[in-house]
Amino acid sequence: MTNTELTAPSPASAGGSPFIPSPATPYQGDISRYWDSEARPVNLRLGDVDGLYHHHYGIGDIDRAALGDSSDSAYEKRLIAELHRLESAQADLLLDHLGPVERGDTLVDAGCGRGGSMVMAHQRFGCGVKGVTLSAKQAEFANGRARELGIDDHVRARVCNMLGTPFETGRTTASWNNESSMYVDLDDLFAEHSRILKVGGRYVTITGCWNPRYGQPSKWVSQINAHFECNIHSRREYLRAMANNRLVPQAVIDLTPETLPYWELRATSSLVTGIEEAFINSYKDGSFQYVLIAADRV
């Protein structure tokens, strides 16, 4: 780690106030506080299944045989394991789209959360992975897991603003946002990814976005924004901001049908948060979409 990179201060050293790397806004301070205090069982209990702690949703068909009988006393445990399997399948799909990655390469996870995708990326490619988050508690958690796994010399999270990272220009092989781009301005975000990526490097995002064909964000999308204190963008905004920042899409995949089973299963679990209905209804009425976009830096 270079001396320009930022590590997470302990909560005690923060004196109760979040550390917000520059450039920052009052809104980013709110987001830092939000994720510092977040401890939803739906994130932690799923991660407890195998030690991969994600902050995103799942894709794929439900393995009904693995779930078994819903009246069985162990059913809830199997349901949680199945939700987590779908989460990791989503991360695997993102990694599938990063393109060729060598052991000596560096990857960047913008909005890394508790670090599950970083661990998976290192395990697959053997390369270095740098993660950034506004949350000191998330960075501490991710780095603790990396130490426990003995990969902390390759995998590192830091408290850092994804719009102004300390990473060198043109040295990153691939980078991604996994359900974190709705917290920032897309032109600013893609300008930073374009800066750190090599020419020919790959950027991937998986995100929820409102469907321009619907006309405006629906009431369900507004509920999701309020729940997560975010600002969901339209699919059109993603493509326009990429074009403005030398990122040329190579794949745009609608994952909405693949994510709906995850939400329908989660709605039957003990881990409901109250937002499941908004996701299910918005996916079904077409006002909200779950998409993967992979783009090359030119």
Side-chain angles (χ1 to χ4, degrees):
M1 186 171 64
T2 70
N3 59 9
T4 62
E5 292 171 352
L6 298 167
T7 56
S10 68
S13 69
S17 298
F19 172 68
I20 313 167
S22 182
T25 64
Y27 170 72
Q28 288 171 309
D30 290 341
I31 298 308
S32 177
R33 282 183 285 271
Y34 178 95
W35 288 109
D36 274 346
S37 63
E38 186 277 330
R40 290 192 182 95
V42 73
N43 290 321
L44 296 173
R45 287 184 63 189
L46 269 62
D48 288 343
V49 171
D50 62 5
L52 290 171
Y53 292 85
H54 298 301
H55 280 280
H56 58 253
Y57 310 126
I59 59 170
D61 294 330
I62 306 300
D63 186 344
R64 299 292 174 183
L67 285 177
D69 188 343
S70 61
S71 64
D72 191 304
S73 61
Y75 176 78
E76 182 72 7
K77 181 178 180 179
R78 293 195 297 267
L79 185 153
I80 288 170
E82 181 64 5
L83 288 174
H84 182 63
R85 183 185 69 82
L86 299 178
E87 279 188 311
S88 291
Q90 188 262 33
D92 270 327
L93 181 69
L94 187 152
L95 298 180
D96 288 345
H97 284 80
L98 292 183
V101 178
E102 305 295 333
R103 293 183 67 86
D105 290 340
T106 297
L107 308 180
V108 170
D109 182 351
C112 64
R114 290 186 171 96
S117 295
M118 292 198 297
V119 172
M120 291 178 65
H122 173 71
Q123 289 174 339
R124 180 186 292 205
F125 302 117
C127 64
V129 189
K130 299 178 180 180
V132 300
T133 172
L134 285 176
S135 168
K137 288 189 176 179
Q138 285 186 342
E140 282 188 328
F141 190 102
N143 290 333
R145 283 296 298 139
R147 285 191 297 271
E148 291 168 2
L149 294 168
I151 60 174
D152 51 312
D153 55 339
H154 295 287
V155 175
R156 178 88 179 155
R158 64 212 71 211
V159 180
C160 181
N161 189 330
M162 70 172 77
L163 302 182
T165 69
F167 308 137
E168 293 183 63
T169 298
R171 298 294 296 274
T172 300
T173 297
S175 61
W176 68 86
N177 287 91
N178 197 351
E179 295 183 18
S180 56
S181 56
M182 64 285 298
Y183 288 101
V184 293
D185 176 88
L186 291 181
D187 270 305
D188 292 343
L189 176 67
F190 295 151
E192 182 64 0
H193 281 286
S194 183
R195 182 188 69 79
I196 66 173
L197 283 169
K198 301 174 181 177
V199 173
R202 173 63 58 88
Y203 170 75
V204 180
T205 186
I206 296 182
T207 187
C209 57
W210 64 269
N211 187 351
R213 292 186 178 182
Y214 194 81
Q216 288 290 331
S218 68
K219 65 178 182 180
W220 305 117
V221 171
S222 296
Q223 286 183 22
I224 296 168
N225 276 334
H227 183 84
F228 292 106
E229 299 184 21
C230 64
N231 180 33
I232 293 166
H233 307 288
S234 72
R235 187 183 60 211
R236 183 179 297 148
E237 289 175 275
Y238 278 92
L239 299 176
R240 182 167 55 236
M242 286 182 179
N244 290 341
N245 290 283
R246 304 182 67 86
L247 294 170
V248 178
Q250 304 299 309
V252 181
I253 304 172
D254 184 356
L255 297 174
T256 307
E258 282 73 28
T259 197
L260 194 52
Y262 165 89
W263 283 101
E264 291 175 334
L265 182 63
R266 176 169 147 172
T268 69
S269 76
S270 64
L271 303 177
V272 293
T273 63
I275 199 60
E276 288 78 12
E277 180 186 20
F279 276 90
I280 292 168
N281 288 336
S282 61
Y283 285 144
K284 286 184 174 180
D285 71 14
S287 63
F288 194 44
Q289 295 176 308
Y290 196 56
V291 301
L292 179 150
I293 306 173
D296 286 347
R297 166 68 164 89
V298 298

